[in-house]
Amino acid sequence: MERRFQNALIPEEFEEAGFKQYERQTEVQKTLFNATLQYMENIDGILKDKPKVNSLGFIAVYGEREIRNMDPADRYSFKQAHNNFGLGKTHLQMALARYIIEKIRVRDELSDGTLSKHDRGCRVLCVSDVEFMEDLIQAKMSNDEGKKLQDLIQGACTTDVLVWDDLGKSKWSESKEGMYYQIINERWRHKRPIIFSSNEAKGTLSDKIGYAASSRLFGMTGKENLYEVEGQDNRLKEEK
């Protein structure tokens, strides 16, 4: 378990994140909490039965890219009314990641289609979009015949559960769009879940990661596991 926690790459500030610490005062906080709790209750069956709808996503009602393109005179007031930052999405994601590592066990599928005789601990990988995409780009430029890049992509494709924080935050490029598609498509093919959050809306997220990748991603969440949320920025509240 200690090794799985290390390999999960949970950010240091969220290493102790749990559901009990998450405030549930506003309606959006209650929505996020209940959605995560419901998914948590189903995760064991999701990993065993491999349904097509297997993922969980929190996205914005109005995307960051859309707001940035607005007239500066209107941008601030619109951002205040339709805020997606500081809602506690990352905290809940990491609390869920910790629960899966601690509680969930899985069996590997063998080459003949049968399951292995013994359970093992569930492998989780947590990535933050900007850092992860930069790592992939740097690996692509490395003079190692693509080994490091392939290792990074393979890890994201094959881990039992991928937690992708701030999806679509990285600046768009054609190369990155190809990487988004490669990872999401591979997980879609093998019905491996992605737990993700984004400050983009459905349309602007599709612009950032590519329409083919977003089509598969939204198909993995279905309507029931994709939540468009907005509310008060709790970080600003704490500062006040």
Side-chain angles (χ1 to χ4, degrees):
M1 185 182 295
E2 183 178 346
R3 183 171 64 252
R4 290 200 308 278
F5 266 107
Q6 291 174 347
N7 292 338
L9 302 180
I10 295 175
E12 184 177 350
E13 63 268 33
F14 293 106
E15 286 180 350
E16 302 300 324
F19 295 106
K20 291 183 179 179
Q21 300 104 308
Y22 184 77
E23 291 187 7
R24 303 188 294 280
Q25 297 179 352
T26 66
E27 287 304 312
V28 67
Q29 288 174 330
K30 293 174 184 176
T31 296
L32 290 167
F33 181 83
N34 291 334
T36 307
L37 212 62
Q38 181 178 350
Y39 185 83
M40 182 189 77
E41 293 171 353
N42 295 330
I43 187 62
D44 189 48
I46 287 172
L47 292 170
K48 288 178 179 176
D49 300 334
K50 295 185 178 297
K52 290 183 179 180
V53 175
N54 53 45
S55 300
L56 175 67
F58 299 135
I59 62 174
V61 177
Y62 294 95
E64 181 179 4
R65 182 175 182 177
E66 182 179 0
I67 295 174
R68 285 182 182 275
N69 289 336
M70 294 179 65
D71 186 282
D74 302 324
R75 187 186 304 151
Y76 179 78
S77 59
F78 191 89
K79 173 69 176 63
Q80 292 295 102
H82 300 284
N83 174 66
N84 183 250
F85 294 85
L87 304 181
K89 302 186 297 294
T90 303
H91 180 106
L92 287 173
Q93 284 181 312
M94 299 309 158
L96 182 55
R98 293 183 68 244
Y99 171 86
I100 294 171
I101 294 170
E102 291 175 357
K103 302 294 184 182
I104 303 300
R105 300 186 66 79
V106 297
R107 291 193 180 190
D108 290 313
E109 185 175 338
L110 304 178
S111 56
D112 60 2
T114 62
L115 296 177
S116 59
K117 294 181 179 180
H118 303 289
D119 293 337
R120 62 166 174 80
C122 189
R123 294 190 297 262
V124 178
L125 175 64
C126 302
V127 298
S128 180
D129 190 72
V130 173
E131 294 177 4
F132 182 51
M133 298 312 292
E134 285 304 313
D135 286 344
L136 292 178
I137 293 297
Q138 290 298 321
K140 187 176 182 179
M141 296 190 301
S142 297
N143 188 24
D144 63 352
E145 299 181 346
K147 184 180 183 305
K148 186 176 181 181
L149 176 63
Q150 189 57 39
D151 287 346
L152 288 172
I153 290 179
Q154 183 75 2
C157 289
T158 59
T159 189
D160 297 312
V161 178
L162 177 62
V163 179
W164 205 324
D165 188 38
D166 224 351
L167 180 61
K169 180 70 173 178
S170 182
K171 186 177 180 181
W172 181 89
S173 72
E174 187 175 348
S175 180
K176 291 176 184 176
E177 184 174 318
M179 293 173 184
Y180 283 125
Y181 177 78
Q182 186 175 351
I183 294 168
I184 293 172
N185 181 60
E186 187 69 12
R187 297 193 67 82
W188 172 77
R189 287 181 58 241
H190 293 280
K191 299 176 183 176
R192 297 184 181 120
I194 302 175
I195 299 167
F196 67 95
S197 65
S198 178
N199 291 316
E200 299 294 346
K202 285 187 75 172
T204 55
L205 181 57
S206 297
D207 289 338
K208 296 296 291 287
I209 70 174
Y211 290 94
S214 65
S215 174
R216 284 158 174 73
L217 184 65
F218 296 146
M220 292 167 71
T221 61
K223 293 181 180 180
E224 59 266 43
N225 289 339
L226 183 66
Y227 294 84
E228 298 174 276
V229 293
E230 62 184 19
Q232 184 178 3
D233 188 333
N234 293 308
R235 298 191 193 101
L236 296 180
K237 181 181 176 183
E238 290 171 2
E239 289 176 4
K240 290 179 182 178

